[in-house]
Amino acid sequence: MEDSTNIQNPDPSSLNTLLVFNPKTQKIEAVKTVDGTGNLKTVPNTKKNQNQFLKIDKNGDPLSNFFSNFLSQLKDPTLFNFFTSPLKESEKIGKQIQHHLEHPSTEGKEFLNTYKIVTPSTNSMSTNPLSEKEYQYSPDQIDWEMMSKFGLTQEKLEKANALEPMLRGFKTNGLLPISLNLGTALIRIDARLSLSTNDAGDVRINLHGIRKEPNFNFKFLGHEFTPEDRQNLIENGNMGRVVDLINPKTDEIIPSLISRDRLTNELVAYKVENIRIPDEIKGIRLDESQKQTLIEGKALYLEGMISTKGEPFNAHVQFNADKKYVEFLFDHKQSQHQSHSHFQTEFPRTFRGKELNDEQYDQFKAGQTIYLDGLLDKKNQPYQGYITLNQENRKIDFSFKNPDKIQQEAKPTEAHKTQTAVNSEGKTNEATKHVKEPLQKGQQSPKDKSQQVKQNKPQPRAGKRI
């Protein structure tokens, strides 16, 4: 197999590459080729090796066709987990994939499914059937003029790794900064984006803004939430049962599952008829009873699953209506006394299109001030600043200057302390004790010749008491 597909002077931005988790090295590596005996050849996933990477033109044949041909030449494709990535972002995305494989989480599961490649031969290994479809939309279908009104461009979305999930039919992995200019008002919000098709067949852009908490006070598509429904949605994001929802346009009754978007608190429904449950999850083959449990929205506890690193683990799994696939609930047994008022949304990992690295993210969650550079303004000019998590409203505070340093510099100077002590506290200052006028800002000595004369004037001695 050649090291790249037959491409005539391809646009570098249209090139993808294949990444693979090598079970021998336990590392994410870049695919180079398949040799004549069907063995996979890889190289370290670094920028200096990109000229050796297998290259795929996104504008050419569909990736699914290319990958099926690729697997047909591989001796044992079931040994490997493959991921696709834009060529120029492969090193960065590869490190993120490696991190999420080593530190499993529900957030990481969503990230991995964004880049993981699923074909009929590996379908039983995946919990995300939608990833088989690869792309549901193309960049040409997006209304970029409308997107520009939100302060976003194709380049910004690609830099934030936000375009790929949208083209695959998912929401962006993280929150994006949205600026909406209404002429007399400028609205700035953080939101997730997704694409959908309207009745006319046109692709529209959906904004999913942050809500303080889900609104349980009103019916959701005809469904009235019970206390147990609310508790389940708050605790793990999934309501856990099938309910009949009403299509507001057609009045059709649709059996559906409901989940909560853990980043925005938006409630999302998914038709039961569209649910696809995999035959196998991490080495555990599901029987019909277990599949039915998941279709009904209930959590299913599985023991003896095998992680990507080859280690056994146990966890609850449940179908998530927002993500549209079966997810792992490693934090399923959260505290039962957690109330709505103490509920906190997940911490955003992306700020204004800039993704925090692992160290920054840990510091940010701990309430520390984080310095970020490489941010882009509306004119696509770079700038930098500091972000801090506001513990009161759970929003991100931004400042061009370090707020910690500003707070230190805001301590009163000695001159200010003198002014306050003399004017407000009735104390005296040796250098100005004979000056009867209030001291001005920063004053510690006579301000002019007149005050100097008053200060130097001999004061009458107190008479002796007889």
Side-chain angles (χ1 to χ4, degrees), residues 11 13-14 58-59 88 138-142 144 147-148 151-164 167:
D11 178 2
S13 64
S14 71
K58 292 190 292 185
N59 298 327
K88 60 182 181 180
S138 71
D140 296 338
Q141 293 177 288
I142 298 176
W144 291 109
M147 192 74 78
S148 68
L152 297 172
T153 64
Q154 182 171 350
E155 182 181 7
K156 285 184 179 180
L157 291 174
E158 288 176 342
K159 285 184 177 180
N161 295 325
L163 185 59
E164 289 268 331
L167 298 181

Side-chain angles (χ1 to χ4, degrees), residues 52-115:
Q52 302 182 60
F53 290 4
L54 181 68
K55 300 177 181 65
I56 310 163
D57 184 6
K58 292 190 292 185
N59 298 327
D61 292 335
L63 179 61
S64 56
N65 294 340
F66 171 84
F67 192 61
S68 296
N69 179 53
F70 174 85
L71 286 182
S72 67
Q73 303 179 56
L74 199 58
K75 181 185 296 182
D76 194 350
T78 59
L79 288 178
F80 304 97
N81 285 323
F82 291 95
F83 303 85
T84 181
S85 162
L87 179 64
K88 60 182 181 180
E89 299 288 337
S90 64
E91 185 171 4
K92 174 184 174 181
I93 292 175
K95 289 180 179 179
Q96 292 174 305
I97 292 173
Q98 183 80 41
H99 170 78
H100 289 307
L101 289 175
E102 294 176 350
H103 307 282
S105 67
T106 49
E107 177 188 354
K109 185 68 178 177
E110 183 175 357
F111 180 87
L112 293 176
N113 279 319
T114 301
Y115 296 98

Side-chain angles (χ1 to χ4, degrees), residues 2 32 88 93 95 115 163 165 201 215 325 346 349 407 425:
E2 299 293 334
K32 180 179 179 181
K88 60 182 181 180
I93 292 175
K95 289 180 179 179
Y115 296 98
L163 185 59
N215 190 347
Y325 58 80
E346 294 182 1
R349 196 182 182 101
Q407 188 174 6
E425 301 173 11

Side-chain angles (χ1 to χ4, degrees), residues 369 388 399 401-412:
T369 297
T388 309
S399 174
K401 293 185 178 181
N402 190 335
D404 295 341
K405 188 175 181 181
I406 292 175
Q407 188 174 6
Q408 294 174 358
E409 293 176 348
K411 293 180 180 179

Side-chain angles (χ1 to χ4, degrees), residues 3-23:
D3 286 354
S4 63
T5 54
N6 295 324
I7 305 172
Q8 299 295 327
N9 299 320
D11 178 2
S13 64
S14 71
L15 293 180
N16 272 3
T17 192
L18 288 182
L19 302 178
V20 62
F21 179 77
N22 191 328

Side-chain angles (χ1 to χ4, degrees), residues 127-319:
T127 59
N128 182 5
L130 285 184
S131 57
E132 293 179 68
K133 298 181 180 179
E134 198 58 30
Y135 295 105
Q136 294 189 35
Y137 308 97
S138 71
D140 296 338
Q141 293 177 288
I142 298 176
D143 186 346
W144 291 109
E145 183 178 351
M146 176 60 72
M147 192 74 78
S148 68
K149 294 180 180 179
F150 300 147
L152 297 172
T153 64
Q154 182 171 350
E155 182 181 7
K156 285 184 179 180
L157 291 174
E158 288 176 342
K159 285 184 177 180
N161 295 325
L163 185 59
E164 289 268 331
M166 294 173 63
L167 298 181
R168 293 169 186 258
F170 296 98
K171 296 178 185 177
T172 54
N173 291 326
L175 298 167
L176 296 174
I178 306 297
S179 300
L180 186 57
N181 193 336
L182 301 179
T184 57
L186 179 63
I187 300 175
R188 297 182 185 275
I189 62 171
D190 288 333
R192 300 178 79 178
L193 269 65
S194 68
L195 300 175
S196 63
T197 306
N198 61 20
D199 295 337
D202 299 322
V203 174
R204 64 184 179 188
I205 304 167
N206 304 309
L207 296 182
H208 307 272
I210 300 175
R211 298 155 173 78
K212 183 178 180 180
E213 60 183 18
N215 190 347
F216 296 123
N217 297 324
F218 297 93
K219 290 184 178 181
F220 178 76
L221 299 177
H223 173 68
E224 188 170 349
F225 295 99
T226 67
E228 185 179 1
D229 291 340
R230 300 182 184 194
Q231 181 180 1
N232 289 338
L233 286 165
I234 288 296
E235 288 185 356
N236 64 26
N238 303 319
M239 197 168 75
R241 68 187 181 104
V242 176
V243 291
D244 290 334
L245 302 182
I246 301 174
N247 186 321
K249 294 182 179 180
T250 64
D251 290 332
E252 177 188 3
I253 297 178
I254 306 172
S256 306
L257 296 179
I258 301 175
S259 294
R260 172 179 60 83
D261 183 326
R262 297 188 182 98
L263 285 179
T264 67
N265 282 328
E266 177 185 21
L267 295 177
V268 182
Y270 194 69
K271 296 180 181 180
V272 170
E273 65 181 42
N274 291 337
I275 295 176
R276 298 293 179 267
I277 304 299
D279 294 328
E280 186 177 303
I281 298 178
K282 293 296 182 181
I284 300 297
R285 192 158 189 86
L286 303 181
D287 58 32
E288 292 305 316
S289 174
Q290 291 172 315
K291 289 182 180 180
Q292 186 61 34
T293 296
L294 294 174
I295 291 175
E296 293 173 358
K298 301 173 184 176
L300 175 67
Y301 187 69
L302 295 178
E303 295 182 336
M305 291 182 286
I306 304 300
S307 71
T308 309
K309 298 178 66 175
E311 299 175 353
F313 71 100
N314 309 324
H316 283 87
V317 295
Q318 191 173 29
F319 191 88

